[in-house]
Amino acid sequence: MRLRAITGFFFVIVMLGSVLLGNSVFTVFYLALSVFCLHEFNGLVKQGTADPNRYSGLLNGIIVFLAFAAQCYFPSKFLLFLLPVILGSIYIQELYKKSESPFNNIAYCFLGLLFTITPFTFFHAIAFIDGSFNFHLPLGFLLMLWANDTGAYLVGSQLGRVKLFPRHSPKKTWEGFIGGIIITAGVAVALSHYYGEYSWKQWVSVGILISTFGTMGDLIESMFKRSINVKDSGGILPGHGGLLDRFDGLLLAAPIVYAYLYFITNA
């Protein structure tokens, strides 16, 4: 627990710094983080039946992230033309490998981009939802995501009785899930008093989306680990596992929250 607490403290400091130190640090940090997550993902699937090309896969991930991130600074449809080029090149890259299961590799290469790069591109875009960098939204997202994890753990460990999804995560309970939503909603109300871009009802709506889809992302990552028979996605964070273990809440929550914010911002 001491090791876990120390790691968690420095993890929070780094994450807060990534949001508060300006748009350049924000972009570079989440580019690096998404690429490390993709590298971790590729290492995991290599333990199974697939062997995606790590280095070309990482290059693909960098280009995909930068193509979307550049839209936040220099909106241009030309940059998005890079995406079909990258997606098509994945097939061509596999032609030059001697592999017994080329389409397994291709499938996992696409899944890696979807599983690791895409959530961070949407999280990055949340900071630019109104056209310029605003740290309030990604900071609020992180605070509510952590509130949900903490609330679900505390309530679930004390009051949890009914299993939420025992097939993939036997420790999660409905009581913990509901407790996480309530505590996240409380944090959302507090945020609305300091950051007035949205009303308290809209902040609470974001909080509910983060709690609901963050929990689903956690379950999906657990399903993925069980499918390849691993306990943790890695060991880069002592006491916490790998990067994918820490950011599974972003998997579905970031795209959904971005869609919601885009809708209410441009309505």
Side-chain angles (χ1 to χ4, degrees), residues 149-163 171-177 179 183:
D149 290 343
T150 303
Y153 172 76
L154 293 176
V155 175
S157 61
Q158 296 298 317
L159 304 176
R161 296 293 183 273
V162 183
K163 301 299 183 183
K171 293 184 179 180
K172 282 186 170 52
T173 63
W174 277 102
E175 292 85 355
F177 173 65
I183 292 175

Side-chain angles (χ1 to χ4, degrees), residues 130-211:
D130 59 358
S132 59
F133 178 73
N134 182 356
F135 74 85
H136 295 172
L137 292 171
L139 176 60
F141 186 105
L142 290 175
L143 292 176
M144 287 186 283
L145 187 65
W146 297 337
N148 178 64
D149 290 343
T150 303
Y153 172 76
L154 293 176
V155 175
S157 61
Q158 296 298 317
L159 304 176
R161 296 293 183 273
V162 183
K163 301 299 183 183
L164 177 65
F165 218 118
R167 182 154 53 95
H168 295 303
S169 186
K171 293 184 179 180
K172 282 186 170 52
T173 63
W174 277 102
E175 292 85 355
F177 173 65
I178 295 170
I181 290 179
I182 293 172
I183 292 175
T184 303
V187 172
V189 172
L191 287 168
S192 70
H193 288 290
Y194 294 97
Y195 304 140
E197 294 89 342
Y198 301 102
S199 68
W200 72 268
K201 293 180 181 179
Q202 291 170 329
W203 275 107
V204 169
S205 296
V206 171
I208 293 173
L209 291 174
I210 289 173
S211 292

Side-chain angles (χ1 to χ4, degrees), residues 210-265:
I210 289 173
S211 292
T212 303
F213 290 97
T215 301
M216 292 181 68
D218 190 319
L219 290 169
I220 289 169
E221 206 250 348
S222 295
M223 179 174 65
F224 167 64
K225 290 189 295 184
R226 286 178 180 275
S227 70
I228 57 175
N229 296 315
V230 298
K231 183 179 184 296
D232 295 320
S233 65
I236 193 172
L237 299 173
H240 289 264
L243 292 173
L244 290 176
D245 294 321
R246 291 302 92 207
F247 292 100
D248 49 16
L250 278 165
L251 179 60
L252 293 179
I256 295 294
V257 168
Y258 175 84
Y260 172 74
L261 293 175
Y262 182 86
F263 175 77
I264 63 175
T265 301

Side-chain angles (χ1 to χ4, degrees), residues 13-31:
I13 295 298
V14 170
M15 294 303 298
L16 292 178
S18 72
V19 173
L20 298 175
L21 292 178
N23 58 346
S24 298
V25 172
F26 182 74
T27 299
V28 171
F29 180 83
Y30 284 97
L31 167 62

